Amino acid sequence: MKIFISSLITGLEPLRTAAREAVTQLGHEAVMAEDFGAQPNSPQVACLQGLRSSGLVVLILGAGYGAKQSSGISPTHEEYREAKDRRPVIAFVQEGVTRDADQEAFVREVQAWDTGLFRDGFTSPGQLKALITRRLHEWEVANAAGAVDERDLLQRAMGMMPEDERGYSRHGHEIALAVSAGPRQPILRPSVLEDETFQEELLQASLFGPNKLFSSSQPTVAGIDNHALVISHAGGRGRIKLDGEGNLLLVLPLTESGNGMVILEENVTERMTASLRYAAWLLDRIDQTQRLTHVALAAILTGGEHLVWRTQAEQNASPNSYSMGSMCGEHKPVHLAPGHRSRPAIKHQADQLVEDLVTLLRREWQGR
Protein backbone atom coordinates (compact mmCIF):
# COMPACT_ATOMS: atom_id res chain seq x y z
CA MET A 1 0.00 0.00 0.00
CA LYS A 2 1.09 3.56 -0.67
CA ILE A 3 1.32 5.62 2.53
CA PHE A 4 1.68 9.40 2.28
CA ILE A 5 4.02 11.07 4.81
CA SER A 6 2.72 14.58 5.55
CA SER A 7 4.77 17.07 7.56
CA LEU A 8 6.88 20.20 7.30
CA ILE A 9 10.08 19.08 5.59
CA THR A 10 12.69 21.61 6.72
CA GLY A 11 13.91 20.79 10.21
CA LEU A 12 12.05 17.49 10.43
CA GLU A 13 14.35 15.41 8.22
CA PRO A 14 15.21 12.86 10.99
CA LEU A 15 11.50 12.38 11.75
CA ARG A 16 10.61 11.87 8.10
CA THR A 17 13.44 9.34 7.77
CA ALA A 18 12.08 7.46 10.78
CA ALA A 19 8.61 7.48 9.25
CA ARG A 20 9.95 6.18 5.91
CA GLU A 21 11.76 3.33 7.66
CA ALA A 22 8.66 2.32 9.59
CA VAL A 23 6.53 2.27 6.47
CA THR A 24 8.99 0.38 4.26
CA GLN A 25 9.90 -2.19 6.91
CA LEU A 26 6.24 -3.22 6.98
CA GLY A 27 6.35 -3.77 3.23
CA HIS A 28 4.55 -0.59 2.18
CA GLU A 29 5.60 2.27 -0.11
CA ALA A 30 6.31 5.67 1.45
CA VAL A 31 5.03 8.57 -0.69
CA MET A 32 7.08 11.68 0.17
CA ALA A 33 7.44 15.09 -1.42
CA GLU A 34 11.23 14.88 -1.56
CA ASP A 35 10.95 11.87 -3.88
CA PHE A 36 8.71 13.47 -6.49
CA GLY A 37 11.47 14.99 -8.67
CA ALA A 38 10.76 17.36 -11.54
CA GLN A 39 7.07 17.52 -12.56
CA PRO A 40 4.99 19.76 -14.82
CA ASN A 41 2.72 20.58 -11.88
CA SER A 42 3.28 22.88 -8.92
CA PRO A 43 4.60 21.34 -5.67
CA GLN A 44 1.12 21.82 -4.19
CA VAL A 45 -0.59 19.87 -6.97
CA ALA A 46 2.13 17.18 -6.93
CA CYS A 47 1.74 16.64 -3.19
CA LEU A 48 -2.05 16.51 -3.30
CA GLN A 49 -1.91 14.05 -6.20
CA GLY A 50 0.51 11.90 -4.24
CA LEU A 51 -1.85 11.99 -1.28
CA ARG A 52 -4.88 11.05 -3.40
CA SER A 53 -3.03 8.06 -4.81
CA SER A 54 -2.26 6.76 -1.32
CA GLY A 55 -4.38 4.55 0.87
CA LEU A 56 -3.41 6.08 4.21
CA VAL A 57 -1.77 9.26 5.54
CA VAL A 58 0.80 9.56 8.32
CA LEU A 59 0.69 13.13 9.68
CA ILE A 60 3.65 14.41 11.73
CA LEU A 61 3.28 17.71 13.59
CA GLY A 62 6.37 19.37 15.05
CA ALA A 63 7.05 22.91 16.26
CA GLY A 64 6.77 24.86 12.99
CA TYR A 65 3.69 25.53 10.90
CA GLY A 66 5.23 26.32 7.53
CA ALA A 67 4.64 29.03 4.95
CA LYS A 68 1.04 29.87 4.20
CA GLN A 69 -0.17 29.28 0.66
CA SER A 70 -2.80 31.15 -1.36
CA SER A 71 -5.39 29.15 0.58
CA GLY A 72 -4.30 30.88 3.78
CA ILE A 73 -2.93 27.69 5.35
CA SER A 74 0.33 25.74 5.12
CA PRO A 75 0.94 22.84 2.69
CA THR A 76 0.77 20.30 5.53
CA HIS A 77 -2.51 21.81 6.69
CA GLU A 78 -3.85 21.60 3.12
CA GLU A 79 -2.84 17.96 2.95
CA TYR A 80 -4.56 17.17 6.23
CA ARG A 81 -7.83 18.81 5.20
CA GLU A 82 -7.70 17.05 1.84
CA ALA A 83 -7.13 13.70 3.54
CA LYS A 84 -9.33 13.68 6.62
CA ASP A 85 -12.62 13.19 4.79
CA ARG A 86 -11.21 10.77 2.21
CA ARG A 87 -8.40 8.71 3.71
CA PRO A 88 -7.51 7.23 7.10
CA VAL A 89 -5.16 9.63 8.92
CA ILE A 90 -2.77 8.55 11.67
CA ALA A 91 -1.41 11.63 13.46
CA PHE A 92 1.73 12.02 15.59
CA VAL A 93 2.39 15.18 17.62
CA GLN A 94 5.90 16.04 18.81
CA GLU A 95 6.07 16.77 22.54
CA GLY A 96 8.49 18.99 24.45
CA VAL A 97 8.72 21.66 21.70
CA THR A 98 7.53 25.25 21.51
CA ARG A 99 4.98 25.66 18.73
CA ASP A 100 4.09 28.90 16.99
CA ALA A 101 0.49 30.12 17.20
CA ASP A 102 -0.58 28.74 13.81
CA GLN A 103 0.85 25.32 14.59
CA GLU A 104 -0.87 25.28 17.99
CA ALA A 105 -4.19 25.97 16.27
CA PHE A 106 -3.44 23.23 13.71
CA VAL A 107 -2.66 20.70 16.47
CA ARG A 108 -5.91 21.59 18.25
CA GLU A 109 -7.85 21.04 15.03
CA VAL A 110 -6.30 17.60 14.55
CA GLN A 111 -6.79 16.57 18.15
CA ALA A 112 -10.43 17.69 18.06
CA TRP A 113 -11.11 15.51 15.02
CA ASP A 114 -13.06 12.78 16.75
CA THR A 115 -13.06 10.35 13.83
CA GLY A 116 -9.28 10.20 13.56
CA LEU A 117 -8.01 6.65 13.81
CA PHE A 118 -4.99 7.19 16.08
CA ARG A 119 -3.20 10.18 17.60
CA ASP A 120 0.05 9.76 19.54
CA GLY A 121 2.68 11.97 21.14
CA PHE A 122 6.42 11.36 20.68
CA THR A 123 9.73 12.97 21.62
CA SER A 124 12.38 11.32 19.42
CA PRO A 125 12.79 9.79 15.93
CA GLY A 126 13.19 6.33 17.46
CA GLN A 127 9.98 6.63 19.44
CA LEU A 128 8.15 7.97 16.37
CA LYS A 129 9.32 5.01 14.28
CA ALA A 130 8.12 2.55 16.90
CA LEU A 131 4.74 4.27 17.20
CA ILE A 132 4.19 4.39 13.44
CA THR A 133 5.10 0.71 13.16
CA ARG A 134 2.65 -0.20 15.91
CA ARG A 135 -0.20 1.94 14.62
CA LEU A 136 0.19 0.76 11.03
CA HIS A 137 0.13 -2.83 12.22
CA GLU A 138 -3.04 -2.17 14.23
CA TRP A 139 -4.63 -0.53 11.21
CA GLU A 140 -3.74 -3.53 9.05
CA VAL A 141 -5.31 -5.91 11.56
CA ALA A 142 -8.45 -3.77 11.81
CA ASN A 143 -8.81 -3.68 8.02
CA ALA A 144 -7.94 -7.26 7.21
CA ALA A 145 -11.40 -7.95 5.78
CA GLY A 146 -10.36 -6.98 2.26
CA ALA A 147 -11.10 -4.33 -0.34
CA VAL A 148 -14.31 -2.32 -0.54
CA ASP A 149 -16.75 -3.56 -3.19
CA GLU A 150 -18.57 -0.40 -4.34
CA ARG A 151 -21.19 -2.32 -6.31
CA ASP A 152 -22.00 -4.58 -3.35
CA LEU A 153 -22.21 -1.56 -1.02
CA LEU A 154 -24.69 0.21 -3.26
CA GLN A 155 -26.77 -2.90 -3.88
CA ARG A 156 -27.05 -3.51 -0.15
CA ALA A 157 -28.08 0.09 0.52
CA MET A 158 -30.74 -0.02 -2.20
CA GLY A 159 -31.97 -3.42 -1.08
CA MET A 160 -32.21 -2.66 2.63
CA MET A 161 -35.57 -0.94 2.29
CA PRO A 162 -38.54 -3.29 2.80
CA GLU A 163 -41.08 -3.48 0.00
CA ASP A 164 -43.56 -1.18 1.69
CA GLU A 165 -40.84 1.49 1.86
CA ARG A 166 -40.11 1.51 -1.88
CA GLY A 167 -43.14 3.57 -2.86
CA TYR A 168 -46.10 3.33 -0.48
CA SER A 169 -46.16 2.89 3.28
CA ARG A 170 -48.82 1.81 5.73
CA HIS A 171 -47.40 4.34 8.18
CA GLY A 172 -48.04 7.44 6.05
CA HIS A 173 -45.48 9.84 4.63
CA GLU A 174 -41.92 8.99 5.66
CA ILE A 175 -38.31 9.45 4.68
CA ALA A 176 -36.04 6.41 4.77
CA LEU A 177 -32.23 6.52 4.73
CA ALA A 178 -30.20 3.35 4.23
CA VAL A 179 -26.49 3.28 5.14
CA SER A 180 -24.56 0.18 4.09
CA ALA A 181 -20.99 -0.24 5.35
CA GLY A 182 -17.87 -1.99 4.09
CA PRO A 183 -15.61 -3.86 3.69
CA ARG A 184 -18.22 -6.51 4.43
CA GLN A 185 -17.46 -8.26 7.72
CA PRO A 186 -19.07 -9.15 11.09
CA ILE A 187 -19.16 -6.16 13.43
CA LEU A 188 -21.78 -7.04 16.07
CA ARG A 189 -22.36 -10.53 17.42
CA PRO A 190 -25.98 -11.68 17.81
CA SER A 191 -25.55 -11.62 21.58
CA VAL A 192 -24.58 -7.94 21.41
CA LEU A 193 -27.60 -7.01 19.28
CA GLU A 194 -29.95 -8.58 21.81
CA ASP A 195 -28.11 -7.23 24.87
CA GLU A 196 -30.59 -5.08 26.81
CA THR A 197 -27.95 -2.56 27.88
CA PHE A 198 -26.83 -2.03 24.29
CA GLN A 199 -30.42 -1.72 23.08
CA GLU A 200 -31.21 0.80 25.79
CA GLU A 201 -28.15 2.91 24.89
CA LEU A 202 -29.22 3.16 21.26
CA LEU A 203 -32.82 3.81 22.23
CA GLN A 204 -31.82 6.61 24.61
CA ALA A 205 -29.62 8.17 21.93
CA SER A 206 -32.60 8.23 19.56
CA LEU A 207 -34.70 10.11 22.11
CA PHE A 208 -32.29 12.48 23.86
CA GLY A 209 -29.08 14.39 23.23
CA PRO A 210 -27.46 15.81 20.08
CA ASN A 211 -28.31 12.82 17.86
CA LYS A 212 -31.98 12.43 18.77
CA LEU A 213 -34.45 11.29 16.14
CA PHE A 214 -37.73 10.86 17.99
CA SER A 215 -39.91 12.65 20.52
CA SER A 216 -39.94 11.23 24.04
CA SER A 217 -43.69 11.89 24.18
CA GLN A 218 -44.35 8.77 22.09
CA PRO A 219 -43.53 5.15 23.09
CA THR A 220 -40.27 3.71 21.77
CA VAL A 221 -39.29 0.04 22.10
CA ALA A 222 -36.39 -2.17 20.99
CA GLY A 223 -36.33 -5.79 19.90
CA ILE A 224 -34.90 -8.33 17.46
CA ASP A 225 -36.52 -8.89 14.06
CA ASN A 226 -35.00 -11.22 11.46
CA HIS A 227 -31.60 -11.19 13.23
CA ALA A 228 -31.45 -7.36 13.31
CA LEU A 229 -31.99 -4.90 16.14
CA VAL A 230 -35.10 -2.80 15.50
CA ILE A 231 -36.04 0.30 17.48
CA SER A 232 -39.67 1.20 16.81
CA HIS A 233 -41.18 4.58 17.65
CA ALA A 234 -44.85 5.55 17.88
CA GLY A 235 -46.16 2.21 16.73
CA GLY A 236 -43.78 2.01 13.77
CA ARG A 237 -43.99 5.63 12.55
CA GLY A 238 -40.27 5.81 13.16
CA ARG A 239 -37.82 2.92 12.90
CA ILE A 240 -34.13 2.16 13.28
CA LYS A 241 -32.83 -1.17 12.00
CA LEU A 242 -29.24 -2.31 12.61
CA ASP A 243 -27.74 -5.63 11.53
CA GLY A 244 -24.59 -7.46 12.56
CA GLU A 245 -22.51 -6.06 9.67
CA GLY A 246 -23.16 -2.46 10.70
CA ASN A 247 -25.75 -1.77 8.00
CA LEU A 248 -28.40 0.70 9.09
CA LEU A 249 -31.88 1.74 8.02
CA LEU A 250 -33.54 4.82 9.52
CA VAL A 251 -37.17 5.71 8.81
CA LEU A 252 -38.61 8.98 10.10
CA PRO A 253 -42.14 10.40 9.71
CA LEU A 254 -42.68 13.54 7.65
CA THR A 255 -45.10 16.28 8.67
CA GLU A 256 -47.37 17.50 5.88
CA SER A 257 -48.36 21.14 5.41
CA GLY A 258 -51.15 22.89 3.54
CA ASN A 259 -54.01 20.73 4.85
CA GLY A 260 -51.97 17.60 4.26
CA MET A 261 -51.26 18.39 0.61
CA VAL A 262 -47.62 19.55 0.78
CA ILE A 263 -44.20 18.12 1.58
CA LEU A 264 -41.81 20.90 2.56
CA GLU A 265 -38.23 20.59 1.34
CA GLU A 266 -36.97 22.09 4.59
CA ASN A 267 -38.70 19.32 6.54
CA VAL A 268 -37.11 16.66 4.32
CA THR A 269 -33.69 18.27 4.82
CA GLU A 270 -34.10 18.40 8.61
CA ARG A 271 -35.12 14.74 8.80
CA MET A 272 -32.31 13.64 6.49
CA THR A 273 -29.74 15.61 8.51
CA ALA A 274 -30.93 14.05 11.77
CA SER A 275 -30.74 10.56 10.25
CA LEU A 276 -27.20 11.05 8.94
CA ARG A 277 -25.99 12.43 12.28
CA TYR A 278 -27.40 9.44 14.13
CA ALA A 279 -25.85 7.08 11.59
CA ALA A 280 -22.41 8.69 12.03
CA TRP A 281 -22.70 8.45 15.83
CA LEU A 282 -23.84 4.83 15.68
CA LEU A 283 -21.00 3.73 13.40
CA ASP A 284 -18.49 5.35 15.77
CA ARG A 285 -20.18 3.56 18.68
CA ILE A 286 -20.15 0.05 17.18
CA ASP A 287 -16.86 0.23 15.23
CA GLN A 288 -14.42 2.37 17.18
CA THR A 289 -11.32 1.12 15.34
CA GLN A 290 -12.92 1.92 11.96
CA ARG A 291 -12.82 -1.49 10.37
CA LEU A 292 -15.68 -0.17 8.27
CA THR A 293 -14.01 2.41 6.04
CA HIS A 294 -16.69 3.20 3.44
CA VAL A 295 -20.44 3.65 3.22
CA ALA A 296 -23.13 3.84 0.56
CA LEU A 297 -26.27 5.92 1.03
CA ALA A 298 -29.74 5.48 -0.44
CA ALA A 299 -32.96 7.31 0.39
CA ILE A 300 -36.66 7.35 -0.48
CA LEU A 301 -39.82 9.30 0.32
CA THR A 302 -42.93 7.19 0.84
CA GLY A 303 -46.64 7.82 1.15
CA GLY A 304 -48.33 7.83 -2.25
CA GLU A 305 -48.75 10.37 -5.00
CA HIS A 306 -51.15 12.99 -3.63
CA LEU A 307 -48.62 15.39 -2.20
CA VAL A 308 -46.89 18.43 -3.68
CA TRP A 309 -43.18 19.10 -3.06
CA ARG A 310 -42.51 22.74 -2.16
CA THR A 311 -40.11 24.98 -0.32
CA GLN A 312 -41.43 26.98 2.62
CA ALA A 313 -41.16 30.17 0.54
CA GLU A 314 -43.26 28.64 -2.24
CA GLN A 315 -45.86 27.50 0.27
CA ASN A 316 -46.02 30.96 1.89
CA ALA A 317 -46.47 32.59 -1.50
CA SER A 318 -49.37 30.35 -2.53
CA PRO A 319 -50.70 28.40 0.46
CA ASN A 320 -54.01 27.33 -1.11
CA SER A 321 -53.04 26.70 -4.74
CA TYR A 322 -51.40 23.48 -5.91
CA SER A 323 -50.01 22.50 -9.28
CA MET A 324 -51.17 19.02 -10.25
CA GLY A 325 -48.20 18.78 -12.60
CA SER A 326 -45.81 18.55 -9.67
CA MET A 327 -47.43 15.38 -8.35
CA CYS A 328 -46.08 11.96 -9.19
CA GLY A 329 -46.98 8.32 -8.69
CA GLU A 330 -44.79 5.51 -7.38
CA HIS A 331 -41.34 6.60 -6.25
CA LYS A 332 -38.01 4.82 -6.30
CA PRO A 333 -34.97 5.03 -4.03
CA VAL A 334 -32.21 7.47 -4.99
CA HIS A 335 -28.47 7.22 -4.40
CA LEU A 336 -25.32 9.25 -4.94
CA ALA A 337 -22.87 8.83 -7.80
CA PRO A 338 -20.34 7.38 -7.33
CA GLY A 339 -22.22 5.08 -5.04
CA HIS A 340 -19.84 4.95 -2.08
CA ARG A 341 -18.09 7.48 0.14
CA SER A 342 -15.36 7.27 2.76
CA ARG A 343 -16.84 6.82 6.19
CA PRO A 344 -15.63 10.18 7.63
CA ALA A 345 -17.58 11.97 4.88
CA ILE A 346 -20.92 11.26 6.57
CA LYS A 347 -19.77 13.44 9.43
CA HIS A 348 -17.48 16.03 7.84
CA GLN A 349 -19.39 16.41 4.57
CA ALA A 350 -22.85 15.82 6.00
CA ASP A 351 -24.34 19.08 4.73
CA GLN A 352 -23.20 18.38 1.15
CA LEU A 353 -24.44 14.78 1.23
CA VAL A 354 -27.82 15.84 2.58
CA GLU A 355 -28.15 18.58 -0.03
CA ASP A 356 -27.35 16.13 -2.84
CA LEU A 357 -29.75 13.46 -1.56
CA VAL A 358 -32.57 15.98 -1.08
CA THR A 359 -32.01 17.27 -4.62
CA LEU A 360 -32.28 13.73 -5.99
CA LEU A 361 -35.39 13.06 -3.90
CA ARG A 362 -37.04 16.23 -5.21
CA ARG A 363 -36.35 15.22 -8.80
CA GLU A 364 -37.72 11.73 -8.19
CA TRP A 365 -40.84 13.06 -6.45
CA GLN A 366 -41.54 15.57 -9.21
CA GLY A 367 -40.90 13.02 -11.95
CA ARG A 368 -37.93 14.87 -13.50
Side-chain angles (χ1 to χ4, degrees), residues 78 107 131 150 239 278 329 343 352:
E78 286 182 340
V107 169
L131 285 171
E150 177 185 354
R239 282 100 71 206
Y278 186 91
R343 174 172 154 184
Q352 298 175 29

Side-chain angles (χ1 to χ4, degrees), residues 10-182:
T10 304
L12 297 188
E13 291 87 351
L15 300 181
R16 292 178 66 83
T17 297
R20 182 197 297 273
E21 292 175 353
V23 168
T24 57
Q25 286 177 6
L26 287 173
H28 301 298
E29 177 184 348
V31 180
M32 306 177 70
E34 49 264 57
D35 298 335
F36 290 165
Q39 294 194 15
N41 302 314
S42 68
Q44 177 194 40
V45 171
C47 286
L48 292 179
Q49 287 179 341
L51 184 150
R52 292 168 189 145
S53 70
S54 303
L56 184 143
V57 175
V58 170
L59 175 66
I60 304 170
L61 299 177
Y65 182 70
K68 293 183 179 180
Q69 307 300 297
S70 58
S71 61
I73 57 178
S74 71
T76 306
H77 206 159
E78 286 182 340
E79 292 162 1
Y80 167 71
R81 289 189 174 176
E82 174 75 17
K84 71 183 183 69
D85 296 330
R86 298 170 174 84
R87 299 286 184 273
V89 178
I90 303 177
F92 302 89
V93 180
Q94 190 174 19
E95 298 175 342
V97 296
T98 301
R99 277 181 269 275
D100 56 45
D102 288 329
Q103 187 72 342
E104 279 290 350
F106 184 15
V107 169
R108 287 196 298 271
E109 178 181 333
V110 172
Q111 291 179 335
W113 184 43
D114 57 4
T115 59
L117 188 60
F118 297 112
R119 288 181 295 276
D120 280 312
F122 70 93
T123 57
S124 67
Q127 185 183 19
L128 175 63
K129 179 180 177 181
L131 285 171
I132 293 175
T133 301
R134 176 183 175 185
R135 295 311 187 187
L136 287 179
H137 174 69
E138 291 174 350
W139 185 87
E140 289 173 335
V141 171
N143 290 271
V148 175
D149 185 337
E150 177 185 354
R151 182 177 179 181
D152 174 66
L153 268 180
L154 185 55
Q155 287 178 340
R156 282 190 283 132
M158 297 289 282
M160 282 167 60
M161 299 176 185
E163 289 299 325
D164 66 344
E165 289 165 5
R166 294 181 182 225
Y168 300 92
S169 172
R170 65 182 182 273
H171 298 292
H173 305 298
E174 303 168 334
I175 183 167
L177 173 68
V179 183
S180 62

Side-chain angles (χ1 to χ4, degrees), residues 191-315:
S191 60
V192 174
L193 287 173
E194 70 177 19
D195 180 78
E196 292 184 0
T197 301
F198 178 70
Q199 293 182 4
E200 181 66 18
E201 180 185 354
L202 271 57
L203 188 152
Q204 291 295 318
S206 73
L207 292 171
F208 307 103
N211 303 300
K212 64 179 293 187
L213 297 175
F214 308 132
S215 168
S216 58
S217 63
Q218 296 289 330
T220 305
V221 296
I224 300 297
D225 181 22
N226 196 24
H227 305 295
L229 169 61
V230 177
I231 296 174
S232 179
H233 175 73
R237 283 281 286 156
R239 282 100 71 206
I240 301 170
K241 184 177 182 180
L242 172 68
D243 69 18
E245 295 181 356
N247 301 306
L248 180 65
L249 175 68
L250 304 105
V251 184
L252 302 185
L254 283 173
T255 302
E256 303 89 355
S257 300
N259 297 320
M261 292 291 294
V262 176
I263 287 180
L264 292 177
E265 183 167 317
E266 289 81 358
N267 188 19
V268 176
T269 299
E270 185 275 330
R271 299 277 76 191
M272 182 70 72
T273 299
S275 296
L276 201 57
R277 286 177 177 170
Y278 186 91
W281 169 82
L282 184 54
L283 282 175
D284 286 346
R285 166 62 182 82
I286 66 174
D287 181 34
Q288 297 179 9
T289 59
Q290 298 193 27
R291 290 175 291 168
L292 300 172
T293 60
H294 288 75
V295 297
L297 308 177
I300 193 172
L301 291 181
T302 68
E305 70 268 27
H306 299 298
L307 283 179
V308 179
W309 181 297
R310 281 183 169 179
T311 64
Q312 184 66 64
E314 290 170 338
Q315 177 64 12

